[in-house]
Amino acid sequence: MLNNKDIIIFGAGPSGAAVARKKAEEGKQVLVLENKDVVAGNLFDYKNDKGIIVHKFGPHIFQTSDEDIISFVKRFANWKEFRHKVNVVIGDKEVPLPINFKSIDILFPDKAEMLKQKLKETFNSDVTYIMDLLNVEDEDLKELGKFVYDNVFENYTVKMWGISSEDIDQSVLKRVPVRLSYDDGYFSDKFQAVPTTGYTEFIKEMLNHENIKLKLNVPVDLLEIKDGKTFIDGEETDKEVIWTGAVDYLFRYSKGELPYRSLKFELETLELDSFQDRAVVNYPADPSMTRITEYKKLTQQEDEETLLGVTTIGKEYPGSYDKASKDFSIPYYPVIKKDGLNPADVYFKEAKNITNLKLLGRLAEYKYKQMAQAISDALDI
Ligand code: UDP
């Protein structure tokens, strides 16, 4: 299997596929080994029986301002650009998220002008973050900060991460700013888009190169580390190995299991033109659900005539990853706390001594990265 191969990559998600493509274009012979019977990892999507593209593992929007990454991804798919917008339900109101001047107008009609004026004067910027808003001196803004913290961040974060907003690494919360303008976009990147034929096809196209050999249904335990050396199917190898799976599994949990968050999705197909105003609506106050995605709004299929009168929604429920559980057996997110300590460091220390091994991607690097970052890191390896 390894004959004539220069690099062996474990995992055909975005990280594995991007690094495979890069090495293949450099003239290397690349072998990609994937445990599942499909590619794309947690980007996997499919067309359901109504013709709606469903993102099986949660809503994905590609966003970046990096020109090199934009050019790279455009080679493997046609993209429909759109500005992702999200609403959040607070009490009996549904307002744009990130909280912005429009949200403030709806939530506090009597005080909105005063609050917006004070926000502009205090921050002198287009954007701030919840923890900064909580720490201002002005009593009205402090109250606003407390309101946003209680109604948008705290419950959602406890559900999502199993810990309070105060204990999670603050870069996680900074993904959702507070905007001091009427800009109601969820992201601010120049390029925000979805591939017209879906992410699975995009990843397949990336892997479609004469120097890449892809094997599916490969046993997950094929790669083993023993005494600081790499073994594939029981044979020691000094070829370059790139691992994109969970780092604790690679070392067979020798230093303990790492915490991950997992997700469960409940899909429903409804006989409606439209279920909600936005592709994604968040429900911080719901006891267990975080958000609802209406897929045809996300995949920009709303205009397809065959989809009139039908729509598919996905309700998202987070939980603690447990490989033996029915609903939460897939690791999605590493849990990085505010203390700055990365629980995976014990494994990184061991991996560093194995010169032919590289860890790449969200699960292997134990890092909360989004798609463009995963691809950028893979191209930089
Ligand atoms: N968040 C929140 N309330 C919301 C939306 C987000 O508290 O309504 C926090 C939460 O901690 C979440 C983080 O902000 O995990 C990042 O949100 P994002 O929508 O980027 O999450 P992802 O799409 O990566 O799951």
Side-chain angles (χ1 to χ4, degrees):
M1 184 168 64
L2 304 189
N3 275 351
N4 309 321
K5 297 289 180 284
D6 300 307
I7 301 175
I8 298 91
I9 298 171
F10 285 84
S15 300
V19 71
R21 183 73 190 206
K22 181 179 178 208
K23 299 289 181 183
E25 289 180 357
E26 287 170 359
K28 299 267 169 52
Q29 294 299 320
V30 183
L31 177 62
V32 179
L33 301 174
E34 167 58 50
N35 171 238
K36 293 190 204 165
D37 58 358
V38 288
V39 299
N42 283 1
L43 274 188
F44 179 78
D45 55 13
Y46 62 95
K47 252 189 187 170
N48 68 12
D49 57 356
K50 302 291 181 198
I52 297 171
I53 298 175
V54 173
H55 296 179
K56 187 168 180 194
F57 304 101
H60 298 293
I61 299 98
F62 193 89
Q63 18 114 12
T64 185
S65 298
D66 183 328
E67 289 294 345
D68 291 343
I69 302 300
I70 298 170
S71 317
F72 180 76
V73 300
K74 280 188 171 172
R75 292 170 51 205
F76 311 113
N78 291 319
W79 295 82
K80 260 195 185 168
E81 293 202 35
F82 82 111
R83 281 185 62 68
H84 184 43
K85 295 191 178 184
V86 173
N87 276 355
V88 60
V89 174
I90 300 177
D92 59 357
K93 292 182 172 145
E94 189 176 315
V95 303
L97 184 75
I99 295 296
N100 61 73
F101 284 179
K102 175 98 185 286
S103 328
I104 292 175
D105 286 344
I106 302 170
L107 289 166
F108 309 104
D110 300 336
K111 295 193 285 186
E113 291 313 316
M114 176 270 288
L115 289 170
K116 289 184 289 186
Q117 192 58 35
K118 283 191 173 183
L119 283 167
K120 274 197 253 174
E121 282 164 11
T122 307
F123 291 100
N124 198 19
S125 159
D126 286 342
V127 68
T128 187
Y129 299 95
I130 185 60
M131 290 306 174
D132 297 328
L133 190 54
L134 282 173
N135 284 326
V136 290
E137 293 206 340
D138 182 273
E139 286 304 320
D140 292 313
L141 294 189
K142 219 187 215 84
E143 203 181 310
L144 173 68
K146 181 91 176 68
F147 179 90
V148 173
Y149 181 83
D150 288 346
N151 289 284
V152 176
F153 286 95
E154 180 57 3
N155 287 342
Y156 191 105
T157 300
V158 169
K159 270 186 292 187
M160 179 64 215
W161 297 101
I163 52 178
S164 160
S165 304
E166 284 174 26
D167 298 324
I168 193 83
D169 186 81
Q170 296 301 291
S171 64
V172 172
L173 300 184
K174 283 191 165 180
R175 289 168 63 99
V176 183
V178 175
R179 292 200 200 284
L180 312 181
S181 70
Y182 279 94
D183 177 1
D184 62 352
Y186 200 64
F187 306 118
S188 43
D189 281 307
K190 178 177 152 194
F191 184 69
Q192 301 177 32
V194 287
T196 49
T197 47
Y199 288 104
T200 308
E201 292 304 315
F202 161 62
I203 295 293
K204 269 189 197 164
E205 198 47 44
M206 208 184 281
L207 289 166
N208 181 13
H209 188 284
E210 57 183 3
N211 292 349
I212 300 177
K213 170 99 181 105
L214 169 69
K215 263 180 166 275
L216 301 173
N217 299 307
V218 172
V220 68
D221 58 0
L222 207 71
L223 177 64
E224 284 176 283
I225 308 291
K226 281 188 245 162
D227 304 325
K229 298 193 171 70
T230 49
F231 291 78
I232 294 180
D233 207 9
E235 298 263 324
E236 189 182 337
T237 183
D238 57 5
K239 294 194 181 205
E240 191 176 346
V241 171
I242 299 176
W243 173 258
T244 70
V247 64
D248 53 351
Y249 177 74
L250 176 62
F251 291 95
R252 303 299 187 267
Y253 311 114
S254 61
K255 309 264 183 227
E257 290 188 31
L258 296 173
Y260 295 94
R261 295 299 284 176
S262 185
L263 299 171
K264 176 179 84 165
F265 293 91
E266 275 177 9
L267 295 178
E268 284 173 51
T269 294
L270 308 164
E271 289 184 2
L272 292 172
D273 276 336
S274 167
F275 173 78
Q276 60 191 23
D277 283 351
R278 303 288 194 211
V280 174
V281 177
N282 289 4
Y283 290 83
D286 186 277
S288 51
M289 178 182 76
T290 46
R291 56 189 174 190
I292 300 181
T293 299
E294 184 170 5
Y295 289 99
K296 70 177 183 180
K297 295 202 165 108
L298 187 72
T299 56
Q300 305 294 286
Q301 293 177 286
E302 271 184 297
D303 301 336
E304 290 181 19
E305 259 178 49
T306 51
L307 298 183
L308 286 174
V310 65
T311 194
T312 299
I313 60 165
K315 296 180 176 172
E316 193 168 328
Y317 300 86
S320 193
Y321 163 69
D322 172 359
K323 55 185 180 305
S325 98
K326 180 170 132 311
D327 293 325
F328 300 112
S329 61
I330 301 170
Y332 283 70
Y333 296 89
V335 184
I336 310 284
K337 294 190 182 159
K338 200 179 170 183
D339 58 17
L341 302 173
N342 190 326
D345 277 347
V346 284
Y347 289 116
F348 298 155
K349 245 187 237 163
E350 287 205 21
K352 227 166 55 193
N353 297 325
I354 308 168
T355 48
N356 63 324
L357 174 73
K358 285 204 172 69
L359 303 175
L360 181 72
R362 205 187 251 221
L363 299 177
E365 294 178 77
Y366 205 76
K367 223 182 201 173
Y368 182 43
K369 38 176 145 172
Q370 35 106 331
M371 218 185 320
Q373 184 69 46
I375 289 179
S376 168
D377 290 351
L379 298 181
D380 281 348
I381 204 169

